[in-house]
Amino acid sequence: MNINATLFGQVVIVLAVIMAVLGYYLGKRKTQTPILTAVIAFFTALLPPVALIFLIVLVVKNDVQSTTSN
C-alpha cells in the first residue's frame, strides 16, 4: 500500500485547522486565553492521539465564569 505524502500533508493541515477552530471555540468557554488554546490545539494536530486527549481535557473542564457586570 502506497501512502502519498501530499495526501498525508493535506489531511494533517485539514485536521490542524479543525483542531484550531474547536480549540478556539472551547477556549472561549473554558479558559481565559482562547487564542493560546487555539494555537496549542493547532500544533497538537501533528500528533492525533495528543490532539484527542487535549480536546477531551477541554470538554471535561468546567466553564469559566464571565466577568461582565450589568
Side-chain angles (χ1 to χ4, degrees):
M1 181 174 145
N2 294 332
I3 297 176
N4 189 353
T6 304
L7 179 62
F8 180 72
Q10 290 173 346
V11 168
V12 168
I13 293 298
V14 169
L15 178 64
V17 170
I18 291 171
M19 283 295 299
V21 170
L22 286 174
Y24 182 75
Y25 172 73
L26 288 171
K28 280 191 338 186
R29 293 180 43 209
K30 309 278 185 174
T31 66
Q32 297 289 335
T33 56
I35 294 174
L36 179 61
T37 305
V39 169
I40 293 171
F42 180 84
F43 286 114
T44 59
L46 298 176
L47 297 169
V50 176
L52 185 61
I53 292 169
F54 184 73
L55 279 182
I56 291 171
V57 168
L58 279 177
V59 168
V60 172
K61 185 176 176 173
N62 291 332
D63 289 347
V64 173
Q65 298 294 328
S66 63
T67 58
T68 59
S69 61
N70 293 346

